[in-house]
Amino acid sequence: MNPKTNYIAKIISKILSGDLSEKEEKILQDWLSEDPKHEDILKRVLNAERLQSDLNLLKEFDAAKNWDKINYWEKKPLAIKGFIVKLAIAACTLIFLYFLQNFLGEKSRTEQHSLAMQIHEHFQKKEPKIYAAQEGAVLRMFNGQKINLKKPIDISSEGQIINEGKYKLAQLPSSDKLFYNFISVPKAQYYSFQFADGTKVWLNSNSNIKFPSRFANNERKVILYGEAYFEVSPDKNRPFIIGTEKGNIRVLGTKFNVRTYGEKMVSSLFEGSIQLEFGTITHLLRPSQQGIMGKDGFQIQSANFKKDLAWKNQLFYFQNDKLKHILEELENWYGIQVHGWDILEDQDTYSGEISRKISLQEFLSLITYTSDLEFKLDNQDLTIRRK
């Protein structure tokens, strides 16, 4: 294939994905000026109905199984943007070559509005991207002081709050009285830090943790809202206790994840053992078990390590997850507000593995291309509609 032909085809595909740079737009305009028939070719390629038929491969993906099929071929975490653009490039290249061979010999049949107007209209509709969650949190100290955190911190045994560069950000009081502090992680952020006892904590988006300036002599207790992964340092004389609105988790030394979004508390144990406490009722979890406490009571099932820790490993991981639950996760990760929940159906399910580093628009692209749903984004408000 002529290298220039291939490059022009890639530029055309970028019009479809909304990623056309100013330099590429200039190259495209120069190519259009070389021959009046080039504009007719572009119009044919960008025709929505024709493009739909040429991209019918996308329609082969069942809405409930599409990511399974994609992962079968990719064998690696899915980058939605790359997948969509590759398909668009392939289709545009084929269509482009066809018209170069068959259309240039014909006279232009139509005189529609100019390419410049098409590109102008396209970019007028283009929405600013909403990027993936970034590392960060807010430390609200016992005295009302607030510190914006961009990188992980350590809390030393002397009560010093130290950043990665070993710079002292603040000092916690050393008196016997317990003073409480908060680390809050807003939507569209995530964070990790380490307590003075060596316990490590990873906080998901829309989560916060309340902790004392120093742990008591008989226990190490924190209060959690949202989701966190803990690696608790052993101390048989001071159990580590995580308080939530739904119950407590008592730990001696272990690794586990706890999620308290919505109506359930879900605890997944990876190492050691933890005791779940709901009033006078207690349950002991063993490694590879997951305990779920909700309005219908308590149940124990096998933990899915890959799924339960996907957020910590910067992945979205779904296994026949309802779209409602996926969108709830997107609300936290991208800091958006979803509207139009009532049109979702239980059969709208997805499975697969996707990087959390992609933008919201890139995530939604695959759902749009492989289902009868479409999305309208207005600032941070996302509305779901049927096509």
Side-chain angles (χ1 to χ4, degrees):
M1 182 188 298
N2 185 307
K4 183 176 181 180
T5 299
N6 187 43
Y7 187 50
I8 295 296
K10 290 182 179 181
I11 289 177
I12 293 173
S13 73
K14 288 190 175 184
I15 296 178
L16 301 173
S17 65
D19 291 327
L20 192 67
S21 68
E22 290 184 7
K23 179 181 177 181
E24 289 165 337
E25 186 173 349
K26 174 68 167 56
I27 293 171
L28 182 61
Q29 292 286 2
D30 291 341
W31 176 78
L32 290 169
S33 65
E34 291 174 5
D35 191 322
K37 295 174 182 177
H38 287 177
E39 184 170 339
D40 291 307
I41 294 174
L42 185 65
K43 289 175 182 178
R44 295 285 291 271
V45 173
L46 294 182
N47 182 283
E49 293 180 359
R50 292 179 181 272
L51 183 62
Q52 184 63 47
S53 64
D54 288 295
L55 291 178
N56 57 14
L57 173 62
L58 286 170
K59 289 302 183 182
E60 294 179 9
F61 296 110
D62 179 88
K65 300 178 181 178
N66 46 19
W67 284 336
D68 282 332
K69 292 184 180 181
I70 292 168
N71 282 333
Y72 174 80
W73 292 106
E74 293 293 321
K75 299 295 185 183
K76 58 185 178 180
L78 172 64
I80 294 177
K81 177 181 176 182
F83 175 72
I84 295 298
V85 170
K86 284 178 182 177
L87 283 178
I89 289 174
C92 284
T93 301
L94 291 173
I95 300 168
F96 187 69
L97 286 174
Y98 172 81
F99 283 122
L100 277 180
Q101 294 170 0
N102 297 284
F103 190 66
L104 279 178
E106 304 174 12
K107 293 182 179 180
S108 175
R109 301 186 186 90
T110 58
E111 287 298 327
Q112 301 176 11
H113 58 283
S114 68
L115 170 70
M117 182 60 70
Q118 287 192 35
I119 293 176
H120 174 73
E121 290 176 354
H122 172 80
F123 283 100
Q124 283 294 98
K125 296 176 182 178
K126 183 179 177 183
E127 299 157 341
K129 282 188 177 179
I130 294 182
Y131 291 97
Q134 301 294 312
E135 188 173 27
V138 177
L139 169 64
R140 182 158 53 91
M141 298 185 60
F142 67 97
N143 58 6
Q145 180 184 3
K146 290 185 179 181
I147 301 175
N148 290 323
L149 305 173
K150 298 297 183 184
K151 295 294 181 181
I153 59 167
D154 289 345
I155 302 174
S156 73
S157 56
E158 294 81 23
Q160 295 180 343
I161 296 178
I162 303 170
N163 65 11
E164 281 187 327
K166 304 303 180 183
Y167 176 77
K168 178 181 173 182
L169 299 177
Q171 176 69 53
L172 300 176
S174 57
S175 67
D176 292 336
K177 184 179 178 180
L178 296 183
F179 295 90
Y180 286 91
N181 313 277
F182 292 83
I183 290 180
S184 299
V185 183
K187 289 183 177 182
Q189 290 191 304
Y190 60 91
Y191 194 66
S192 62
F193 69 100
Q194 181 171 295
F195 283 118
D197 68 339
T199 293
K200 297 178 180 178
V201 184
W202 288 257
L203 290 165
N204 202 351
S205 299
N206 194 21
S207 302
N208 63 76
I209 191 169
K210 176 182 177 181
F211 62 95
S213 297
R214 62 171 185 81
F215 288 129
N217 293 327
N218 60 339
E219 66 178 18
R220 297 168 289 168
K221 186 170 185 178
V222 300
I223 306 296
L224 173 70
Y225 307 88
E227 182 171 18
Y229 173 76
F230 292 84
E231 292 186 355
V232 178
S233 292
D235 188 339
K236 63 180 182 180
N237 297 319
R238 292 192 303 168
F240 197 97
I241 301 172
I242 300 167
T244 77
E245 294 177 326
K246 302 170 182 68
N248 294 335
I249 300 173
R250 185 176 294 268
V251 186
L252 290 178
T254 187
K255 298 178 181 180
F256 63 99
N257 191 79
V258 57
R259 183 171 69 250
T260 65
Y261 300 129
E263 299 177 344
K264 296 179 181 179
M265 182 177 85
V266 182
S267 305
S268 301
L269 180 62
F270 303 94
E271 243 180 56
S273 64
I274 58 177
Q275 182 171 285
L276 307 180
E277 302 172 344
F278 310 101
T280 58
I281 302 172
T282 62
H283 296 275
L284 186 67
L285 277 194
R286 303 194 180 281
S288 301
Q289 288 185 332
Q290 182 181 80
I292 302 174
M293 183 65 186
K295 59 182 180 181
D296 297 326
F298 180 80
Q299 67 180 85
I300 294 179
Q301 63 186 31
S302 296
N304 183 332
F305 295 163
K306 191 167 188 178
K307 182 176 177 64
D308 295 334
L309 277 189
W311 70 269
K312 177 179 174 289
N313 296 326
Q314 293 288 295
L315 293 172
F316 291 110
Y317 186 84
F318 308 117
Q319 281 190 326
N320 293 320
D321 284 56
K322 294 180 180 179
L323 186 55
K324 176 181 183 295
H325 298 151
I326 294 174
L327 290 172
E328 287 172 349
E329 201 163 338
L330 297 190
E331 281 191 313
N332 284 340
W333 193 248
Y334 294 103
I336 58 172
Q337 184 71 43
V338 176
H339 306 276
W341 296 100
D342 54 317
I343 71 167
L344 297 179
E345 301 173 355
D346 286 344
Q347 60 264 36
D348 292 329
T349 61
Y350 292 83
S351 297
E353 180 178 312
I354 304 171
S355 170
R356 281 182 178 255
K357 296 180 181 180
I358 62 174
S359 71
L360 174 64
Q361 285 86 341
E362 290 165 346
F363 189 107
L364 296 175
S365 292
L366 189 58
I367 301 178
T368 301
Y369 276 102
T370 58
S371 73
D372 64 344
L373 297 174
E374 61 182 7
F375 302 89
K376 180 182 179 182
L377 188 62
D378 183 9
N379 294 320
Q380 301 299 112
D381 292 304
L382 181 71
T383 303
I384 317 163
R385 300 182 297 198
R386 294 284 175 188
K387 293 178 182 175

